[in-house]
């Protein structure tokens, strides 16, 4: 049976502002990505996901879109995009773009019209002397801003990101048209931003708290699924297995499964995986819950919104974070389904915590009054080469939009390429082995008995073993070791290490 490409794809997230700057303005761009396509093809990923590169005032790094059908001059032109898609395809890489349907920028033509007092029905405006309800912005502070004429508008994120009113059919038509625009340009799929937020409960009732609960008046309203049924019909009307993956934060795999019903999205991000602590019980629980609930699993450890997993896994013992990050990657790549990687994890980059307040750009930092550091620490421009900033990210002498720490010098692509012990070469080996196993192993996994602290599972001829405990454990029976995330001691799997074993 033919398996659609996305079902076991490894997708590499490119945070466009921080990947590669060809124009020399300190901000990553489409031309920079084009130059680095050979690197991505060699790394061994199947697809790239590009974060928003559309026209935007950058109130939230481009997740505030002013024109959904154009490229911001900061990132290039539509011609650059066309060339990027053609070249990516020539390298065998699929292209997924971000679509941001929950809100636009306040600079969008529709919101500008609304500000002039016309056609406010495409957004969520209300009268009143006080904010219409108690909703808080995800970034901090109230979710309502008042205009000089007295009306309030809703923004679940920054004030520069007004929420659309999806009860207005015109919004549906507009987004179907936006999707068609990019599908006609040859994109292979979409990552749907804030996919569970588009509909708000009728009457906009107060919430007791802001958590992502099924009964929330904000998140996961039943009406949202109608949107994805419309989108699925559109995707299926194109050839080439076009797909969509939803950014869906839920409390349970059952809620997640609602988004991937046969007539809805092909995939949803599985954030339970990145939220799991370093614990075999927690990992096993997420794996069982996921495989039991969704027909086509996805896995992700890091993205542009969360603290990098190397840093999340750190302990007082230096080196633990990286060992665990590599072991977790090996386990993730052995699981059924597709895996999403985040740029820089293949270099083992940590979260950059020491950014000075004046360098910070994330609205989370500002809207929380500096209380929360925000997400800049995982968005620091990549180190490609050289001995000093900008480490090949920008042309020499250019300051990248966020400062890079000195430790990036030894972590650049140039510093790691060809060094068999480097994280980069480990990723290359793991992705190559995964490709070799593709098609040869069944989708389903079986658990094997494992000693305390460890997890062992098999998929046909592949056995994956991970040791999350504090002492070494014997490896399960095998013919040969395919790959390990760190050195093995004879037949023993050391702590914070994973191995792939050949069992037939
Ligand atoms: C994106 C964020 C963005 C937010 C608002 C998210 O979930 O991934 O980076 O700030 O949506 O668009």
């Amino acid at each position: 049976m033919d398996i659609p490409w996305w079902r076991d794809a490894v997708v590499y997230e490119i945070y466009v502002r921080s990947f590669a700057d060809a124009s020399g303005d300190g901000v990553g761009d489409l031309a920079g990505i084009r130059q680095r396509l050979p690197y991505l093809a060699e790394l061994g990923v199947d697809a790239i996901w590009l974060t928003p590169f559309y026209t935007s005032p950058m109130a939230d790094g481009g997740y505030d879109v002013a024109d959904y059908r154009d490229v911001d001059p900061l990132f290039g032109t539509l011609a650059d995009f066309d060339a990027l898609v053609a070249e990516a395809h020539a390298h065998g890489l699929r292209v997924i773009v971000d679509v941001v349907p929950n809100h636009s920028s306040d600079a969008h033509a529709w919101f500008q019209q609304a500000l002039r007092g016309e056609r406010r029905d495409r957004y969520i405006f209300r009268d009143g002397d006080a904010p219409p309800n108690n909703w808080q912005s995800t970034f901090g502070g109230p979710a309502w801003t008042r205009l000089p004429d007295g009306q309030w508008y809703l923004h679940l994120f920054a004030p520069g990101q007004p929420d659309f009113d999806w009860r207005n059919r015109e919004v549906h038509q507009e987004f179907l048209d936006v999707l068609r625009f990019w599908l006609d340009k040859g994109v292979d799929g979409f990552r749907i931003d804030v996919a569970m937020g588009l509909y708000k409960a009728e009457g906009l009732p107060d919430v007791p708290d802001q958590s992502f609960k099924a009964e929330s008046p904000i998140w996961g309203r039943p009406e949202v699924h109608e949107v994805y049924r419309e989108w699925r019909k559109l995707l299926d009307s194109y050839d080439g297995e076009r797909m969509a993956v939803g950014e869906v934060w839920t409390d349970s795999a059952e809620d997640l499964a609602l988004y991937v019903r046969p007539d809805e999205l092909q995939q949803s991000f599985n954030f339970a995986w990145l939220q799991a602590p370093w614990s075999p019980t927690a990992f096993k629980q997420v794996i069982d819950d996921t495989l039991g609930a969704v027909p086509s699993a996805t896995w992700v450890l890091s993205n542009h919104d969360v603290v990098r997993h190397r840093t999340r896994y750190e302990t007082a013992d230096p080196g633990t974070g990286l060992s665990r990050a590599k072991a977790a990657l090996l386990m993730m790549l052995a699981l059924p389904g597709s895996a999403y990687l985040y740029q820089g994890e293949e270099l083992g980059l940590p979260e950059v915590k020491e950014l000075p307040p004046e360098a910070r750009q994330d609205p989370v930092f500002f809207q929380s009054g500096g209380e929360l550091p925000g997400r800049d620490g995982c968005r620091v421009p990549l180190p490609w080469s050289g001995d000093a900033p900008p480490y090949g990210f920008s042309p020499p002498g250019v300051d990248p939009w966020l400062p890079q720490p000195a430790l990036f010098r030894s972590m650049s692509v140039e510093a790691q390429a060809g060094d068999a012990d480097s994280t980069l070469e480990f990723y290359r080996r793991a992705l190559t082995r995964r490709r070799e196993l593709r098609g040869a192993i069944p989708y389903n996994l079986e658990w094997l008995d494992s000693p305390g602290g460890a997890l062992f599972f098999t998929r046909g001829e592949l056995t994956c073993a991970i040791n999350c405990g504090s002492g070494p454990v014997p490896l399960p029976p095998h013919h040969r070791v395919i790959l390990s995330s760190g050195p093995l001691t004879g037949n023993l799997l050391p702590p914070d290490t994973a191995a792939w074993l050949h069992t037939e």
Side-chain angles (χ1 to χ4, degrees):
M1 196 187 69
D2 268 356
I3 295 171
W5 71 269
W6 41 263
R7 187 163 154 99
D8 61 1
V10 176
V11 184
Y12 181 98
E13 178 189 355
I14 295 185
Y15 189 69
V16 178
R17 302 161 84 202
S18 302
F19 187 68
D21 165 27
S23 70
D25 60 1
V27 180
D29 46 44
L30 300 183
I33 300 170
R34 284 173 64 192
Q35 290 172 358
R36 303 293 181 180
L37 288 172
Y39 167 78
L40 295 169
E42 193 188 342
L43 182 60
V45 298
D46 303 299
I48 51 176
W49 148 32
L50 309 178
T51 56
F53 48 80
Y54 316 110
T55 316
S56 166
M58 304 290 152
D60 181 21
Y63 279 97
D64 48 321
V65 180
D67 183 347
Y68 287 87
R69 296 177 188 78
D70 207 352
V71 174
D72 195 280
L74 202 53
F75 302 126
T77 63
L78 280 172
D80 289 329
F81 181 78
D82 291 338
L84 169 55
V85 172
E87 289 168 17
H89 285 167
H91 277 97
L93 296 166
R94 305 264 183 169
V95 179
I96 295 175
V97 298
D98 229 299
V99 59
V100 188
N102 181 67
H103 45 263
S104 69
S105 159
D106 57 0
H108 188 282
W110 282 6
F111 197 74
Q112 286 298 306
Q113 206 182 348
L115 287 180
R116 294 194 297 270
E118 301 157 22
R119 297 295 318 273
R120 292 191 170 176
D121 58 317
R122 293 149 167 162
Y123 294 92
I124 301 178
F125 279 87
R126 291 292 182 273
D127 290 319
D129 293 330
N133 61 28
N134 70 351
W135 296 2
Q136 294 293 299
S137 155
T138 310
F139 292 162
W144 295 93
T145 288
R146 196 173 202 187
L147 295 179
D149 63 24
Q151 279 209 323
W152 302 82
Y153 71 89
L154 177 71
H155 51 87
L156 293 182
F157 295 90
Q161 293 171 296
D163 281 50
F164 285 114
D165 185 354
W166 275 84
R167 295 185 191 277
N168 181 337
R169 295 304 306 178
E170 196 183 352
V171 176
H172 289 245
Q173 291 314 319
E174 173 65 4
F175 272 93
L176 284 169
D177 199 61
V178 166
L179 297 185
R180 266 187 223 108
F181 179 86
W182 295 103
L183 288 166
D184 290 342
K185 289 200 162 292
V187 305
D188 299 284
F190 297 97
R191 178 265 188 186
I192 306 167
D193 189 58
V194 193
M196 69 298 176
L198 313 193
Y199 273 85
K200 285 77 184 174
E202 296 274 17
L204 309 179
D206 277 355
V207 280
D209 62 48
Q210 299 291 312
S211 57
F212 297 144
K213 293 274 188 288
E215 67 277 12
S216 160
I218 302 178
W219 309 113
R221 304 299 305 167
E223 300 94 317
V224 80
H225 297 286
E226 187 207 331
V227 177
Y228 303 131
R229 289 189 193 106
E230 287 172 1
W231 289 16
R232 179 59 180 267
K233 280 198 196 107
L234 178 69
L235 292 169
D236 286 349
S237 74
Y238 280 77
D239 59 10
E241 300 174 330
R242 315 293 177 105
M243 54 78 76
V245 53
E247 188 210 8
V248 182
W249 295 84
T250 60
D251 289 337
S252 73
E254 285 68 37
D255 287 345
L256 194 66
L258 297 176
Y259 292 81
V260 290
R261 287 177 283 193
D263 58 348
E264 297 196 34
L265 308 177
Q266 286 88 345
Q267 292 185 337
S268 259
F269 283 106
N270 183 8
F271 294 117
W273 183 245
L274 67 71
Q275 287 169 323
W278 185 255
S279 136
T281 333
F283 287 138
K284 182 168 187 298
Q285 185 76 50
V286 176
I287 294 169
D288 282 338
D289 289 351
T290 304
L291 298 180
V294 306
S296 205
T298 68
W299 311 97
V300 62
L301 289 166
S302 279
N303 66 28
H304 67 285
D305 289 329
V306 300
V307 171
R308 284 185 179 275
H309 60 279
R310 173 187 175 160
T311 301
R312 294 202 311 270
Y313 292 147
E314 255 160 27
T315 64
D317 191 2
T320 305
L322 184 57
S323 302
R324 290 181 173 182
K326 289 165 74 177
L329 184 269
L330 216 50
M331 173 165 55
M332 174 166 90
L333 292 183
L335 291 171
S338 78
Y340 283 78
L341 309 182
Y342 177 51
Q343 66 179 39
E345 67 169 83
E346 78 278 21
L347 304 176
L349 296 189
E351 185 82 359
V352 178
K353 290 183 174 164
E354 60 276 14
L355 291 169
E358 61 280 8
R360 295 217 174 250
Q361 309 246 350
D362 186 2
V364 170
F365 176 73
F366 298 102
Q367 284 185 226
S368 69
E371 220 168 274
L372 300 172
R375 301 161 295 179
D376 293 320
C378 65
R379 299 174 175 181
V380 174
L382 287 196
W384 291 94
S385 57
D387 290 336
Y391 298 115
F393 167 74
S394 293
V398 174
D399 286 335
W401 70 277
L402 282 173
Q404 299 156 302
L407 66 87
F408 271 23
R409 177 181 171 180
S410 60
M411 304 190 82
S412 72
V413 172
E414 183 184 59
Q416 297 195 38
D419 172 357
D421 293 333
S422 69
T423 307
L424 175 59
E425 294 297 346
F426 165 71
Y427 265 70
R428 286 176 172 165
R429 283 195 298 275
L431 291 167
T432 306
R433 298 289 99 81
R434 178 177 157 112
R435 275 198 173 160
E436 290 164 1
L437 289 162
R438 180 178 284 171
I441 55 173
Y443 182 82
N444 290 332
L445 67 71
E446 279 174 48
W447 294 109
L448 299 177
D449 286 341
S450 50
L455 275 185
F456 299 165
F457 62 84
T458 60
R459 290 175 65 201
E461 63 194 61
L462 172 70
T463 292
C464 178
I466 184 165
N467 184 1
C468 304
S470 49
V473 297
L475 287 169
H478 61 278
H479 291 310
R480 79 185 155 82
V481 176
I482 302 172
L483 180 69
S484 63
S485 64
L488 302 176
T489 332
N491 197 44
L492 293 178
L493 184 64
D496 301 326
T497 307
W500 286 2
L501 308 166
H502 199 265
T503 40
E504 273 168 26

